[in-house]
Amino acid sequence: MTDAIARTERLVLRPLARRDIGPLFEGFGDAPTMTYWSRAPFASEGELAAWAFPADPGASLVCVAADPVDDEALIYATLMPRARGQAEIGFLSRPVARGRGLAREALGLLIDHGFRSLGLRRIFADTDPDNAGANRLLAALSFTLEGRLRENWETHIGLRDSHIWGLLQGEWRQPPIARAAP
C-alpha cells in the first residue's frame, strides 16, 4: 500500500477511503459505541459518508488503521488542527477491533506522525468523563488529564462534561512496535 502513513505488523495507518465507510459504520452506527460521542449514532452509511467526506474537508488528517492483510478498516483516527502547532485527536474502534491493543497501536502511529512529520507541539483530546475505555487509552499513551469542562456538550444523552487530555511533543515516547511506513 503506497498511501500508508505508518505501519506495524498488525496495522497500516492510511488515509480514509470511501471503501472504509461500510466497515466503519459497524461502530459509527452502533448505539453503545456512540454513547459518549457528541452525537447519536449515524442512521446510514450515506449519512456517515457525508460526515466523513465533507465538501470542505479543511486541514484535518483523517485516517484509518487497517488490517495489513485484507486492508479492512478497524479504527478511525483523526488529527484536527486547532491552533498553531496543536491538533485534537479523535478516534473510534469498531467492536471487532477491541480488546487487542489495536487502538493503542493505531493512535501511537498517528501521534508519532503528528509530532515527527507534521511538527505539532501539542496534541489534545476531549473525552466524556464516563468513557472509561477512552480515558484509560489516553492515560496509557502518556496524555495528562489537564482539566474538566463542566456541561461542555449538549448531546443525545444530555449535558455532558469534558475531560481535556494533553500530550506535549517533548513528553512523547514512540511505542517500540511503531515504525514508519517504507
Side-chain angles (χ1 to χ4, degrees), residues 17-122:
R18 296 251 177 221
R19 68 184 179 273
D20 300 321
I21 295 300
L24 290 176
F25 184 69
E26 176 189 322
F28 281 104
D30 179 59
T33 299
M34 294 293 287
T35 298
Y36 298 115
W37 272 65
S38 57
R39 59 153 296 148
F42 289 85
S44 68
E45 289 183 18
E47 183 185 16
L48 175 58
W51 174 82
F53 295 100
D56 179 11
S60 294
L61 175 61
V62 183
C63 301
V64 295
D67 183 290
V69 176
D70 63 14
D71 197 37
E72 185 171 277
L74 299 170
I75 297 160
Y76 168 91
T78 183
L79 283 175
M80 302 163 281
R82 295 298 191 223
R84 187 174 182 180
Q86 297 183 60
E88 181 178 358
I89 195 166
F91 53 93
L92 182 133
S93 295
R94 289 177 50 202
V96 69
R98 294 188 192 132
R100 298 183 280 157
L102 295 174
R104 182 177 180 172
E105 201 168 310
L107 292 184
L109 292 172
L110 185 59
I111 291 164
D112 197 64
H113 179 71
F115 286 139
R116 292 178 193 267
S117 300
L118 302 179
L120 296 173
R121 65 178 165 75
R122 181 175 185 271

Side-chain angles (χ1 to χ4, degrees), residues 36 134 163 177 179:
Y36 298 115
H163 272 174
I177 56 171
R179 58 183 169 81

Side-chain angles (χ1 to χ4, degrees), residues 97-179:
R98 294 188 192 132
R100 298 183 280 157
L102 295 174
R104 182 177 180 172
E105 201 168 310
L107 292 184
L109 292 172
L110 185 59
I111 291 164
D112 197 64
H113 179 71
F115 286 139
R116 292 178 193 267
S117 300
L118 302 179
L120 296 173
R121 65 178 165 75
R122 181 175 185 271
I123 296 174
F124 72 95
D126 173 345
T127 64
D128 188 294
D130 291 333
N131 189 343
N135 291 314
R136 272 193 312 271
L137 175 58
L138 292 167
L141 287 165
S142 300
F143 279 76
T144 298
L145 180 59
E146 297 176 335
R148 183 180 193 126
L149 303 176
R150 297 175 303 144
E151 293 187 5
N152 191 44
W153 291 101
E154 187 171 348
T155 77
H156 59 290
I157 61 171
L159 291 173
R160 304 300 296 173
D161 292 0
S162 288
H163 272 174
I164 304 301
W165 294 86
L167 179 64
L168 303 178
Q169 188 277 331
E171 298 168 339
W172 175 241
R173 301 294 175 257
Q174 180 182 9
I177 56 171
R179 58 183 169 81

